[in-house]
Amino acid sequence: ETGVTQSPTHLIKTRGQQVTLRCSSQSGHNTVSWYQQALGQGPQFIFQYYREEENGRGNFPPRFSGLQFPNYSSELNVNALELDDSALYLCASSLGDRDTPWANVLTFGAGSRLTVL
Amino acid sequence: GDSVTQMEGPVTLSEEAFLTINCTYTATGYPSLFWYVQYPGEGLQLLLKATKADDKGSNKGFEATYRKETTSFHLEKGSVQVSDSAVYFCALKKAAGNKLTFGGGTRVLVKP
């Protein structure tokens, strides 16, 4: 089975631009979570999607938005980029059910490293 | 709010040395506790977990015991190898939550 794949692996943007990061879930998984990992820090929860609906959000502004598609792949969109958005963005998938969409262990991708100049 | 505190690194060891990485947490209720490992250029991999007090998680020679009385989940390995060089993250998840709360990570460097 394939794991979680993310694209692009690296990208550079300038302040004020917009970026879209993509994630393909592990086969059979229906829940996707996104995390931001600043350099030298632990990952911070951005949001989670379960069956195409947002199912929880961390302390991030609305310019961070996401989508989950019927095949359970996902996108993270960030508008009006700021210098502090420079980080490694991690996608993680898992298999959940209606009552506990977050229940199972997360499988992480290798991440997309975003640099904002 | 919930939080996880880990000892700061880097931790530098010789091969076959004993490794301990301290982790303490603050959370209401009874969270599940995890250790993740991140090798250079890779994503996070689950190393071990424990879901209730006094549970011991173990994998690949690593162990950690869920201590509710001290709100701790220290990671140990009796004899490290060069291949154990990585960043280790302690994390918690609340029973009714949908996110992992991570500590800041501890970089471990094992020298031959």
Side-chain angles (χ1 to χ4, degrees):
Chain A
E1 70 187 5
T2 57
V4 176
T5 57
Q6 294 186 238
S7 63
T9 54
H10 296 82
L11 69 166
I12 299 173
K13 294 284 187 177
T14 57
R15 275 189 306 174
Q17 286 189 312
Q18 179 266 344
V19 68
T20 297
L21 307 179
R22 295 178 175 83
C23 171
S24 293
S25 306
Q26 180 168 310
S27 177
H29 285 184
N30 57 11
T31 303
V32 172
S33 304
W34 285 92
Y35 288 79
Q36 181 196 64
Q37 186 181 9
L39 193 62
Q41 298 183 23
Q44 299 289 318
F45 176 72
I46 303 175
F47 43 57
Q48 182 184 82
Y49 280 83
Y50 172 64
R51 293 193 171 182
E52 304 178 56
E53 293 189 2
E54 188 176 291
N55 183 52
R57 187 179 183 92
N59 189 26
F60 281 80
R63 58 190 186 84
F64 284 79
S65 63
L67 284 173
Q68 188 180 30
F69 300 99
N71 66 355
Y72 303 128
S73 65
S74 177
E75 287 183 355
L76 165 64
N77 298 288
V78 187
N79 294 321
L81 284 167
E82 301 177 359
L83 296 179
D84 285 349
D85 296 333
S86 295
L88 180 68
Y89 288 85
L90 295 167
C91 172
S93 70
S94 58
L95 177 61
D97 58 32
R98 179 186 299 275
D99 296 320
T100 53
W102 55 84
N104 289 315
V105 171
L106 303 184
T107 300
F108 282 84
S112 295
R113 183 165 297 283
L114 171 65
T115 301
V116 182
L117 302 176
Chain B
D2 302 337
S3 66
V4 176
T5 302
Q6 294 180 232
M7 60 187 290
E8 289 192 17
V11 175
T12 303
L13 302 165
S14 297
E15 210 164 19
E16 300 184 0
F18 184 86
L19 170 68
T20 298
I21 304 176
N22 290 338
C23 170
T24 57
Y25 68 90
T26 301
T28 56
Y30 301 91
S32 294
L33 301 175
F34 303 83
W35 278 100
Y36 279 84
V37 59
Q38 187 174 37
Y39 298 102
E42 299 184 16
L44 301 173
Q45 299 176 24
L46 177 66
L47 184 58
L48 53 82
K49 66 175 182 177
T51 58
K52 62 182 186 295
D54 299 325
D55 266 3
K56 177 185 282 188
S58 61
N59 186 28
K60 300 181 180 180
F62 290 90
E63 292 184 341
T65 301
Y66 189 144
R67 301 289 189 198
K68 185 149 182 71
E69 64 275 14
T70 54
T71 63
S72 65
F73 193 54
H74 305 321
L75 182 68
E76 297 182 336
K77 186 174 185 183
S79 177
V80 294
Q81 305 300 313
V82 172
S83 58
D84 293 324
S85 298
V87 181
Y88 293 81
F89 292 93
C90 184
L92 68 82
K93 186 169 75 64
K94 301 283 282 292
N98 53 8
K99 69 174 185 178
L100 285 167
T101 299
F102 287 89
T106 303
R107 182 174 299 278
V108 173
L109 177 61
V110 181
K111 296 185 174 180

